[in-house]
Amino acid sequence: MGTQQITVELLLKRQEVLPYVQQVVEAAETDRLALGWFPLKVYQEAAISERLIVAVAREGHEVRYAGHLLFAVTFPRGYVTQIHVDSGHRRHGIAKRMLDALKAQLGALNYISIGARVAEDLRASQEFWQCQGFYAHGTAPGGKTRGRTLVVRSHELPTQQLFATSGLSHRDPLGLGVEPSASTKLHLLGLNGVFDLGP
């Protein structure tokens, strides 16, 4: 007897997401050390305003919660508040799919970047965010209870802007370009030269 194939689907609309809010809360509670804590109302409001992405696994007629991504927006930037994948569905690219959906959604609305704050001691999480193109650009203090340090990360979206994107990445933290191109010229002028030209 063959096994049925599992397909993962992302739910984005409020009418699809609302029935899963309680399961999202229960899943977040199982990993409170990494995710922090939010009251039920936060998840409900996020679902209603379509700021909660839920991944579900379908196997035949059975549909199960597989993960979620909770985010906030303050135009022109979005912020990932929580991302979680159920332990039985990890290593299948679900977190990446949810992040890609968020990037596409905010990019289509002309947002310029997405931010995330990740506890410094969560090494696997740090690696994940770096692999997804979120470069580290600072730190911030975490909550008083655990006294953690949070790594502040950002991902710039390829939306059209008045000014070019910074070009910052984990490979090029200064945004100078990893490989200097023939068309890009960099001119440096020391302050001594400026002072010599003065009166």
Side-chain angles (χ1 to χ4, degrees):
M1 184 178 224
T3 59
Q4 291 184 334
Q5 187 171 351
I6 297 174
T7 58
V8 175
E9 182 182 337
L10 300 184
L11 309 178
L12 308 168
K13 300 294 182 189
R14 70 175 58 90
Q15 64 271 19
E16 300 170 331
V17 171
L18 277 168
Y20 289 93
V21 168
Q22 188 58 46
Q23 291 177 56
V24 167
V25 172
E26 290 167 6
E29 284 292 314
T30 65
D31 202 5
R32 190 187 278 200
L33 182 66
L35 300 176
W37 179 84
F38 293 107
L40 173 64
K41 187 176 181 180
V42 169
Y43 297 98
Q44 290 172 330
E45 289 174 358
I48 291 167
S49 57
E50 296 185 349
R51 289 181 289 107
L52 180 63
I53 298 171
V54 174
V56 293
R58 295 184 183 273
E59 185 175 8
H61 297 295
E62 189 180 351
V63 181
R64 294 186 310 275
Y65 163 90
H68 73 273
L69 187 154
L70 178 69
F71 67 98
V73 289
T74 304
F75 190 81
R77 292 178 173 80
Y79 305 91
V80 176
T81 311
Q82 273 187 356
I83 187 166
H84 175 76
V85 176
D86 182 69
S87 59
H89 296 92
R90 290 181 185 162
R91 306 282 183 217
H92 296 291
I94 294 173
K96 181 185 184 315
R97 280 187 58 191
M98 290 190 294
L99 261 182
D100 287 347
L102 179 62
K103 289 174 185 178
Q105 181 179 339
L106 295 186
L109 296 171
N110 294 316
Y111 281 74
I112 63 171
S113 68
I114 303 172
R117 292 179 173 220
V118 187
E120 192 174 43
D121 58 309
L122 300 176
R123 296 207 176 160
S125 294
Q126 293 292 345
E127 289 174 15
F128 168 77
W129 288 102
Q130 188 158 312
C131 288
Q132 300 311 310
F134 282 72
Y135 64 89
H137 61 85
T139 59
K144 293 180 181 178
T145 308
R146 294 193 180 93
R148 282 176 154 168
T149 298
L150 303 177
V151 176
V152 182
R153 292 185 169 272
S154 290
H155 174 78
E156 294 185 9
L157 297 168
T159 52
Q160 291 193 357
Q161 302 173 35
L162 180 60
F163 299 103
T165 59
S166 71
L168 298 177
S169 70
H170 68 280
R171 287 189 207 126
D172 185 16
L174 298 177
L176 298 176
V178 177
E179 294 292 326
S181 74
S183 63
T184 303
K185 294 182 181 177
L186 180 63
H187 300 282
L188 298 175
L189 179 62
L191 289 179
N192 289 337
V194 174
F195 293 134
D196 289 345
L197 296 175

